[in-house]
Amino acid sequence: MATDVRELEAPDLLAQECIDDPYPVFAWLRENAPVQWNPGVQMWTVMRYRDVVDHYTSKRHSHYLPQAVSSPAKTPEDAAADERIGEWIRKWVLLKDPPDHTRMRSVLNKAFTVRIVQSRRDQFVQRVDGLLDAVEARDGKLELMRDLAIPVAYSAICDLLGVPEDKRDLFYEHGEIQANYWNGVYPDRAKTEAMLEESTGMFLELLDARRAEPKDDLLTAMVLAEDEGRFLSDDEIISNLHLLNFVGHETTDGQIGNSMLALLRNPDQLQLLRERPDLMRSAVDEFIRYDPSGAWAHIQFATEDFEINGQQLHAGERIAFCLASAHRDPEAYQNPDKFDITRNPEKNISFGIGAHYCIGAALARLELAVVFERLLARYPRLELAGEVTYRPNAFIRGPLTLDVDLGIA
Amino acid sequence: LHDAARNVRDGSQFRSTDGSVMVEVWVDEDACIGSRNCAFLRPDLFQITDEGIAQLQAVGEPLDGDEIVTVARNCPSHAINVTIDGQHVAGGEWMPDR
């Protein structure tokens, strides 16, 4: 008789050691409890590639309003705060279904097409080189996250939106507070509310400025959408600016960190990429397969009772699809635990599947490619320097700090 | 950005029949966000160029209209356009989902 997986103890996904290296836990779950209710995070966890692919785009669940995913409210005060924060983000395109989703997404997509993103390549190269020049001028010691990954990622989203230079530090700070609230282990509700208020004020000013004087950026495209018959209300624009700040944050910079680590811990693959720069495209796919920052897909909730792989889910229950585990499933990949930049990327689902596919995928791919092209071109020897620490965030995983020896000091 | 010229290339168009209806499919390369959903769903019909853009492959056999419409409607950027008997059923600027 099959074991009831509810009898198997669910792992503590939020424990820091599990965040530092979740793969042994994922492997155990995939093998023993591929679909399991986890009382710690109050979610069903779905671990196998086939189950994720078959069920992720199902109509039997919908997008969860992401109120402090890792830390559901335990007091009436926290619940009330979550309710108020939820008001700010109800119009996120991520949470919408057609036809609203289609209308909103059609405005946003235009800023993220492969060709528009690729047209910024030279700008990315210059930025990465500028940041590395600054590290060399300082002391030659690279703390990858602070010195490169974070500034590259947030300046990319700021450029694209059109956030002026003098607002960028604030924009970054807001993104960090948001990311911590939605997914972090220690969300700060009061700080998040204050941040949303301040950020909204900043966005409203920017929208007024663009109406008065249009520019070549996404803020302008959003305010002008009305003229093209795809009206976005100010509430929708503001809500989605909060969203873009959050999703452009910790995902890409975390992925730059995870990818650097994969290369440094697998010197044969680092050497191969040096010798074969033409492998960069498949290397980027392997970065996001082997150790995706988006370890879990956006949380869903069941809209009706249904089964996944023999387990009965009930309406209203939260569901977490584990992309990081799916990509290590031996049923889907040969030698899944091997980091191999020559793999065929066809089955990669790190950016999701279907209509809600990550809008920033082309941008993230380009950032990753340029960062590693420049690092490899500039430094013939790259090595890990010291211990790696991770952010206290199980859902968007990435290093807190990552010291790299550039071989120049 | 908002003025970006839309550029549908003739080279990526082809025609095929499904029973008695005419199916026409083309990829708007300038709308593609490189999601690879199409190649994921139908690797025999779509490939991804080195640039990262979806491209229709030559099809040797008649194409199932319903199937291609499903693939097109899964495209997050509505870059895959489908007409059946001349009627536009998927893709384009803002097609309300049916």
Side-chain angles (χ1 to χ4, degrees):
Chain A
M1 210 178 109
T3 315
D4 181 352
V5 298
R6 284 193 190 240
E7 290 169 11
L8 291 173
E9 199 179 332
D12 179 2
L13 298 172
L14 304 181
Q16 190 61 42
E17 57 268 30
C18 184
I19 294 173
D20 294 348
D21 181 12
Y23 291 101
V25 172
F26 292 170
W28 183 87
L29 280 171
R30 220 166 33 240
E31 185 69 24
N32 299 291
V35 181
Q36 183 190 44
W37 176 252
N38 188 309
V41 288
Q42 294 284 303
M43 292 172 198
W44 285 95
T45 54
V46 181
M47 308 306 285
R48 288 185 183 166
Y49 182 89
R50 196 68 255 166
D51 290 338
V52 172
V53 169
D54 285 352
H55 290 278
Y56 184 59
T57 55
S58 154
K59 301 256 182 269
R60 287 171 299 193
H61 46 77
S62 190
H63 296 270
Y64 173 70
L65 197 60
Q67 294 166 348
V69 163
S70 298
S71 174
K74 290 179 188 72
T75 65
E77 290 75 23
D78 281 358
D82 284 346
E83 196 62 35
R84 290 192 299 273
I85 291 167
E87 284 303 315
W88 292 97
I89 58 139
R90 255 174 233 293
K91 296 192 167 66
W92 277 11
V93 63
L94 185 67
L95 307 173
K96 290 293 174 189
D97 292 317
D100 284 342
H101 176 262
T102 319
R103 171 176 55 85
M104 294 160 94
R105 182 94 191 215
S106 76
V107 176
L108 302 177
N109 273 338
K110 286 187 168 186
F112 293 91
T113 67
V114 172
R115 293 215 166 121
I116 292 284
V117 167
Q118 287 286 347
S119 71
R120 295 177 183 269
R121 172 176 262 277
D122 291 349
Q123 196 186 338
F124 278 122
V125 171
Q126 279 170 21
R127 179 162 287 129
V128 169
D129 275 335
L131 290 163
L132 291 171
D133 289 344
V135 170
E136 289 187 26
R138 190 186 62 209
D139 56 6
K141 294 184 197 308
L142 175 70
E143 198 283 272
L144 183 89
M145 302 310 293
R146 178 198 61 203
D147 296 334
L148 192 62
I150 290 170
V152 163
Y154 92 86
S155 54
I157 191 80
C158 286
D159 286 347
L160 192 134
L161 284 171
V163 178
E165 289 291 340
D166 64 332
K167 305 279 192 216
R168 291 188 173 199
D169 288 349
L170 190 63
F171 185 83
Y172 173 74
E173 196 187 310
H174 287 172
E176 196 160 65
I177 295 168
Q178 267 205 91
N180 187 50
Y181 169 75
W182 304 128
N183 287 318
V185 178
Y186 311 107
D188 185 332
R189 289 171 165 85
K191 217 171 169 180
T192 306
E193 283 195 79
M195 168 254 129
L196 285 165
E197 189 121 10
E198 188 181 13
S199 195
T200 297
M202 176 176 93
F203 291 147
L204 282 170
E205 276 177 31
L206 286 172
L207 295 182
D208 282 345
R210 289 304 183 279
R211 282 197 178 97
E213 194 186 334
K215 291 192 176 181
D216 184 18
D217 58 31
L218 183 54
L219 281 168
T220 306
M222 288 167 114
V223 297
L224 293 185
E226 188 173 3
D227 305 338
E228 297 174 13
R230 293 186 308 266
F231 179 72
L232 290 188
S233 69
D234 274 10
D235 279 359
E236 286 173 336
I237 295 175
I238 297 292
S239 190
N240 284 290
L241 288 171
H242 292 316
L243 170 68
L244 288 170
N245 188 1
F246 157 53
V247 293
H249 199 94
E250 298 209 335
T251 49
T252 313
D253 55 68
Q255 188 61 59
I256 292 171
N258 294 351
S259 308
M260 181 84 258
L261 204 51
L263 285 170
L264 296 174
R265 284 177 173 163
N266 295 274
D268 61 320
Q269 297 297 301
L270 177 61
Q271 187 56 31
L272 181 61
L273 191 55
R274 277 190 196 287
E275 288 162 10
R276 297 265 321 269
D278 59 300
L279 286 175
M280 187 55 83
R281 195 182 138 202
S282 65
V284 167
D285 278 300
E286 181 65 351
F287 295 154
I288 60 175
R289 179 200 74 86
Y290 180 76
D291 197 8
S293 57
W296 299 80
H298 183 65
I299 308 304
Q300 313 263 333
F301 71 93
T303 50
E304 59 185 84
D305 295 0
F306 70 105
E307 277 191 10
I308 302 180
N309 203 348
Q311 298 303 311
Q312 179 68 50
L313 282 68
H314 299 97
E317 288 175 335
R318 301 200 295 176
I319 315 165
F321 292 94
C322 190
L323 302 172
S325 167
H327 286 123
R328 297 287 190 106
D329 188 340
E331 297 282 320
Y333 292 92
Q334 285 191 334
N335 290 327
D337 292 327
K338 180 168 168 33
F339 176 63
D340 173 2
I341 63 169
T342 65
R343 269 179 210 279
N344 180 344
E346 224 165 60
K347 288 182 293 192
N348 202 310
I349 52 168
S350 286
F351 289 116
I353 316 166
H356 288 274
Y357 183 91
C358 174
I359 199 166
L363 187 64
R365 286 179 196 281
L366 179 66
E367 287 175 46
L368 286 161
V370 169
V371 161
F372 291 102
E373 271 167 29
R374 296 312 302 147
L375 277 172
L376 268 58
R378 289 174 66 126
Y379 308 107
R381 192 175 68 83
L382 289 168
E383 279 172 23
L384 191 56
E387 292 290 299
V388 184
T389 54
Y390 279 84
R391 296 165 174 159
N393 187 330
F395 293 87
I396 310 291
R397 266 187 79 248
L400 183 64
T401 59
L402 177 51
D403 291 306
V404 181
D405 183 348
L406 298 176
I408 54 168
Chain B
L1 179 69
H2 50 283
D3 291 322
R6 316 207 49 90
N7 180 12
V8 178
R9 276 154 212 263
D10 291 338
S12 57
Q13 291 186 30
F14 75 103
R15 284 169 182 274
S16 185
T17 52
D18 171 28
S20 60
V21 298
M22 285 301 295
V23 183
E24 190 175 13
V25 186
W26 72 94
V27 176
D28 179 350
E29 296 177 4
D30 285 336
C32 179
I33 63 162
S35 79
R36 307 172 185 202
N37 268 317
C38 51
F40 181 82
L41 292 168
R42 287 299 298 266
D44 56 325
L45 289 183
F46 295 93
Q47 64 177 22
I48 306 300
T49 65
D50 286 344
E51 193 189 0
I53 285 175
Q55 195 177 53
L56 204 57
Q57 311 215 66
V59 182
E61 54 194 69
L63 198 64
D64 182 314
D66 289 342
E67 231 178 286
I68 196 77
V69 167
T70 303
V71 176
R73 287 189 182 157
N74 261 288
C75 173
S77 57
H78 306 268
I80 302 171
N81 291 266
V82 182
T83 65
I84 292 184
D85 277 349
Q87 197 191 351
H88 201 179
V89 294
E93 271 291 274
W94 172 31
M95 295 287 296
D97 293 35
R98 296 137 210 256

